[in-house]
Every structure is written in structure tokens, then in C-alpha cells.
Amino acid sequence: MWLARRLGLALLTLWLVSIVVFLATAALGDPVRAILGRDYGTNVARREQLEAQLGVGDSIISRYFDWLGGLLTGDFGTSLANQQPVWGQISSSVVNSLVLVLLSALVMIPLAFGIAMISSHFRRRRPDTVIQTILLALAGVPEFVTGILLVSLFATSVFKIFPAVTLVAPGGSPWDEPKSMVLPIATLVIAVTPYVSRIVRATLLEVLDSDYVELARLKGIPEPVVMRKHALLNAIVPGIQVVSLQLAWLAGGVVLVETLFQYPGVGRQLVDSVRNHDVAMVQALSMIIAGVYIVVNLVADVLSILLTPRARTAISS
């Protein structure tokens, strides 16, 4: 029952997002005029074609349900820029962005937990102070500034180690040239690691001060074992929650990073679609980003329940 309610809430949220996305794109004004520009008054045939394609003469409610029906059947519409199906143009970008986020998560999660464990082990001592100062400084730097600094340091005359932009051969993938993915991944990792590490550290400190951890110490259990088997296990659930929030943020935060590094993902494609007034592409990409955000949070909720005995008992009863 709980899972059914949570799924229903996720679907309701996604439906409300679809309304916001559609109204936001509809509020931008006449899309035909925006697309044609100066040719709006002269190119009558093209104008009428676009008006028929976009259903400009229909009511906004009718247009919304037509669009929503297409989404439910897997039809994301037709791109206004080149008259090609939207999904055929964004499928590779979706895969590229998912790979970027996944690789960033694989680096970020163990790094953040490792930093939190080291910091909590040296709490209120010099190493802890240094680590927390660095994390606070990194947390206050926007990701595009971090990216620019990394490019300046590792892709210019200082240390020309990695390419400044992602170069992909026609029909290829970004990971065909692994070096081109290092700076985008590093930027995302640096952007989210401080938040995850600080939350996990706070949870670890709370657990380390608990009675059952003190009892484990009195039994003579070595401190590394106490940290690994008692403290860390009890910090996993809060860690999952904050990791899910940061991964969900990455689903939208990749826009700036992909644009900065010219990475061929949904973020860069979304920016290009906005510039080209390609309404169908903007709507589809926005819904995909929102869908990933909702799915990540749903998975985090399910994992939190499965890893918390008290919550499992409450749900089953």
C-alpha cells in the first residue's frame, strides 16, 4: 500500500510538472512568430504550415491534452527546427547525460563518505578543521566557476592535460575519448561532494556519541571496526537521502556544465532548443529532466524504507 501511494504521488507530481512545463512554453508568446522572425509576414505558406502543426488556432486545453496524449504513447512530437521526431534527436543526448551523472556519482559517493569518515575521526582537531574549511569554501563556489577554474588550470598553458571541450566524432560517444570527460565529471563531483560529506559527517558524529557505540567501545572493539560496522551503517539512510537529492540536482545542474564543456547531453541540447524556439524539444527535455528527478527521489525513499527496520515494521503493520 505504501509503495502504491508513493507511486501515485510520483505520477501526480509528474502530471503537475507537465502542466507547468506546457503553460510556461505557451506563455512565451506566438511560437510561429518567434520561429519565422522577419519572414512571418512574407512566408505565408511556411507560417500556415507551422500554425497547423502547432495547433495555434486550438484552445490551450485542447493543445495540452493532445501533447499529453502523445507523451503517454511515447510520441514526443516533431522538432520545429528540422521537422524530425524529437525522440530520435534526444535519445543519444539522454544516454550521454545519464552516463555523465552515473560516473560522477560513482566518484562522488565513496569520496564524500570517505571524507566524512576521516573528518569525524579527527573531530574538533586540526585535520577536521582543515577539511571543513575546504568543504565550506567549495560549497560556496558555483559549478560554472569551478568548471572555468578547472579549464584554466588543466586545459590551458598551466597544465595542458585535458581538452577544454568535449569533442565527439560523428556517430561516436563522449566516452570514446575518456580524457574529454574528466573535467565535466570533476566539476560535478566538486559541486556536490561538500554537501553530501557534511551531512554524512554530522550523522556520523551523532551516531558515534550514542550509547550503543559507547558500549561497543567498552567491549574493546577497535575504533576502525566501530566506525565501519556501527557508525557508518547507521549513517547510510541519511546518506542515501542527501545523495538522492544531489543526484536529482545533477539531473538539472548538468545544463550549465554541459554548456560550458560543450558536452553533447540534454543540458546543452535544452539550451540550443531554447535559442531556436524549438518548443517541442524544450517540452520533451524538460519532462525528461523532471522524470529523472522524481524517479531518483522515489528510489531513495524505497531504499530508505528497506534499510530501516523500524520503518519496515511500521509499514507492514
Side-chain angles (χ1 to χ4, degrees):
M1 288 297 295
W2 174 86
L3 182 59
R5 288 196 300 269
R6 191 64 184 83
L7 284 172
L9 181 60
L11 292 175
L12 176 62
T13 304
L14 194 58
W15 175 61
L16 294 176
V17 169
S18 72
I19 295 176
V20 173
V21 168
F22 185 83
L23 292 178
T25 52
L28 295 177
D30 185 358
V32 177
R33 185 181 294 274
I35 294 168
L36 294 180
R38 295 180 180 179
D39 295 334
Y40 181 82
T42 57
N43 195 341
V44 179
R46 177 61 174 158
R47 184 182 69 193
E48 292 177 349
Q49 178 188 3
L50 287 174
E51 288 175 347
Q53 179 180 339
L54 297 175
V56 174
D58 301 334
S59 67
I60 190 170
I61 296 177
S62 176
R63 281 186 287 153
Y64 168 73
F65 281 106
D66 288 342
W67 172 70
L68 182 62
L71 289 182
L72 295 176
T73 57
D75 181 9
F76 288 87
T78 302
S79 171
L80 300 178
N82 52 27
Q83 300 301 305
Q84 297 295 321
V86 168
W87 179 248
Q89 299 177 71
I90 66 176
S91 56
S92 60
S93 298
V94 172
V95 173
N96 292 343
S97 290
L98 289 178
V99 170
L100 179 62
V101 171
L102 178 61
L103 292 177
S104 300
L106 291 176
V107 176
M108 177 269 294
I109 293 174
L111 178 63
F113 274 77
I115 292 174
M117 291 176 65
I118 295 172
S119 184
S120 59
H121 179 73
F122 292 101
R123 57 177 168 175
R124 301 184 186 91
R125 286 183 278 175
R126 187 179 297 275
D128 182 30
T129 303
V130 172
I131 291 174
Q132 293 308 305
T133 302
I134 294 174
L135 292 179
L136 279 174
L138 292 176
V141 180
E143 61 270 19
F144 69 89
V145 175
T146 301
I148 292 173
L149 292 175
L150 290 178
V151 169
S152 301
L153 185 60
F154 295 107
T156 56
S157 56
V158 181
F159 299 105
K160 196 170 184 180
I161 303 174
F162 306 108
V165 295
T166 305
L167 300 177
V168 180
S173 302
W175 52 88
D176 293 337
E177 185 64 35
K179 290 179 63 175
S180 67
M181 298 191 67
V182 172
L183 294 184
I185 291 174
T187 302
L188 293 175
V189 169
I190 293 173
V192 299
T193 296
Y195 299 98
V196 178
S197 183
R198 286 176 59 80
I199 295 296
V200 175
R201 172 188 175 274
T203 305
L204 283 173
L205 292 180
E206 183 179 350
V207 174
L208 288 172
D209 292 335
S210 62
D211 294 337
Y212 64 87
V213 171
E214 289 296 331
L215 179 61
R217 291 192 179 109
L218 291 175
K219 290 180 179 179
I221 299 177
E223 189 66 23
V225 178
V226 171
M227 174 70 73
R228 187 175 65 255
K229 290 190 175 181
H230 295 272
L232 186 59
L233 286 177
N234 287 277
I236 284 180
V237 172
I240 289 175
Q241 293 294 334
V242 69
V243 166
S244 69
L245 289 175
Q246 293 306 309
L247 290 179
W249 174 86
L250 286 180
V254 293
V255 174
L256 289 175
V257 175
E258 289 181 356
T259 304
L260 175 63
F261 291 101
Q262 296 296 295
Y263 185 86
V266 295
R268 179 185 171 189
Q269 197 163 32
L270 180 60
V271 173
D272 293 339
S273 300
V274 172
R275 289 173 179 168
N276 296 330
H277 303 285
D278 199 337
V279 177
M281 292 282 283
V282 172
Q283 292 172 338
L285 293 169
S286 299
M287 290 303 300
I288 288 173
I289 292 173
V292 172
Y293 190 101
I294 292 171
V295 169
V296 168
N297 281 283
L298 177 62
V299 171
D301 287 345
V302 173
L303 289 177
S304 298
I305 293 297
L306 294 177
L307 294 174
T308 307
R310 184 180 301 175
R312 290 201 309 268
T313 303
I315 289 176
S316 60
S317 61

